Short mmCIF file of all heavy atoms in Angstrom, two decimals:
data_model
loop_
_atom_site.label_atom_id
_atom_site.label_comp_id
_atom_site.label_asym_id
_atom_site.label_seq_id
_atom_site.Cartn_x
_atom_site.Cartn_y
_atom_site.Cartn_z
N GLU A 567 -10.40 -11.44 -20.10
CA GLU A 567 -8.98 -11.33 -19.76
C GLU A 567 -8.77 -10.60 -18.43
O GLU A 567 -8.02 -9.62 -18.35
CB GLU A 567 -8.21 -10.63 -20.89
CG GLU A 567 -6.71 -10.86 -20.83
CD GLU A 567 -5.97 -10.30 -22.03
OE1 GLU A 567 -6.60 -10.08 -23.09
OE2 GLU A 567 -4.74 -10.10 -21.93
N PRO A 568 -9.42 -11.07 -17.38
CA PRO A 568 -9.31 -10.37 -16.09
C PRO A 568 -7.91 -10.37 -15.51
O PRO A 568 -7.56 -9.50 -14.71
CB PRO A 568 -10.29 -11.14 -15.20
CG PRO A 568 -10.38 -12.50 -15.82
CD PRO A 568 -10.30 -12.25 -17.30
N GLY A 569 -7.09 -11.34 -15.91
CA GLY A 569 -5.73 -11.41 -15.39
C GLY A 569 -4.84 -10.28 -15.85
O GLY A 569 -3.73 -10.09 -15.31
N SER A 570 -5.28 -9.51 -16.85
CA SER A 570 -4.51 -8.36 -17.34
C SER A 570 -5.04 -7.04 -16.79
O SER A 570 -4.70 -5.98 -17.31
CB SER A 570 -4.52 -8.33 -18.87
OG SER A 570 -3.93 -9.49 -19.41
N CYS A 571 -5.88 -7.10 -15.76
CA CYS A 571 -6.52 -5.90 -15.21
C CYS A 571 -6.04 -5.65 -13.78
O CYS A 571 -5.76 -6.59 -13.03
CB CYS A 571 -8.04 -6.05 -15.22
SG CYS A 571 -8.73 -6.35 -16.86
N PHE A 572 -6.01 -4.37 -13.41
CA PHE A 572 -5.56 -3.95 -12.09
C PHE A 572 -6.48 -2.85 -11.56
O PHE A 572 -7.10 -2.13 -12.34
CB PHE A 572 -4.12 -3.44 -12.16
CG PHE A 572 -3.15 -4.48 -12.65
CD1 PHE A 572 -2.95 -4.68 -14.01
CD2 PHE A 572 -2.47 -5.28 -11.75
CE1 PHE A 572 -2.08 -5.65 -14.48
CE2 PHE A 572 -1.58 -6.26 -12.21
CZ PHE A 572 -1.38 -6.45 -13.57
N VAL A 573 -6.56 -2.74 -10.25
CA VAL A 573 -7.40 -1.70 -9.65
C VAL A 573 -6.62 -0.94 -8.59
O VAL A 573 -5.65 -1.45 -8.00
CB VAL A 573 -8.68 -2.29 -9.01
CG1 VAL A 573 -9.57 -2.91 -10.07
CG2 VAL A 573 -8.35 -3.29 -7.91
N ALA A 574 -7.05 0.29 -8.36
CA ALA A 574 -6.56 1.11 -7.26
C ALA A 574 -7.66 1.18 -6.22
O ALA A 574 -8.82 1.46 -6.56
CB ALA A 574 -6.20 2.51 -7.75
N THR A 575 -7.32 0.91 -4.97
CA THR A 575 -8.34 0.91 -3.91
C THR A 575 -7.91 1.80 -2.75
O THR A 575 -6.73 1.99 -2.48
CB THR A 575 -8.60 -0.51 -3.38
OG1 THR A 575 -7.40 -1.01 -2.74
CG2 THR A 575 -9.00 -1.46 -4.50
N GLU A 576 -8.91 2.33 -2.07
CA GLU A 576 -8.70 3.05 -0.83
C GLU A 576 -9.65 2.45 0.20
O GLU A 576 -10.87 2.48 0.01
CB GLU A 576 -8.98 4.55 -1.00
CG GLU A 576 -8.72 5.36 0.27
CD GLU A 576 -8.98 6.83 0.06
OE1 GLU A 576 -10.09 7.18 -0.41
OE2 GLU A 576 -8.08 7.64 0.35
N ALA A 577 -9.11 1.88 1.25
CA ALA A 577 -9.93 1.19 2.25
C ALA A 577 -10.84 0.16 1.60
O ALA A 577 -12.04 0.08 1.89
CB ALA A 577 -10.73 2.20 3.07
N ASP A 578 -10.28 -0.61 0.67
CA ASP A 578 -10.98 -1.69 -0.05
C ASP A 578 -12.04 -1.19 -1.02
O ASP A 578 -12.78 -2.00 -1.59
CB ASP A 578 -11.61 -2.68 0.94
CG ASP A 578 -10.57 -3.44 1.73
OD1 ASP A 578 -9.50 -3.72 1.17
OD2 ASP A 578 -10.84 -3.75 2.90
N ARG A 579 -12.13 0.10 -1.24
CA ARG A 579 -13.07 0.65 -2.22
C ARG A 579 -12.32 0.97 -3.50
O ARG A 579 -11.30 1.66 -3.49
CB ARG A 579 -13.73 1.91 -1.68
CG ARG A 579 -14.67 2.60 -2.66
CD ARG A 579 -15.32 3.82 -2.03
NE ARG A 579 -16.12 4.56 -2.99
CZ ARG A 579 -15.65 5.50 -3.79
NH1 ARG A 579 -14.36 5.83 -3.72
NH2 ARG A 579 -16.43 6.12 -4.65
N VAL A 580 -12.81 0.47 -4.64
CA VAL A 580 -12.16 0.70 -5.93
C VAL A 580 -12.38 2.16 -6.36
O VAL A 580 -13.51 2.63 -6.45
CB VAL A 580 -12.71 -0.25 -7.01
CG1 VAL A 580 -12.12 0.10 -8.38
CG2 VAL A 580 -12.40 -1.70 -6.65
#
Side-chain angles (χ1 to χ4, degrees):
E567 198 173 340
S570 298
C571 302
F572 300 85
V573 296
T575 64
E576 182 179 54
D578 294 326
R579 177 178 175 273
V580 175

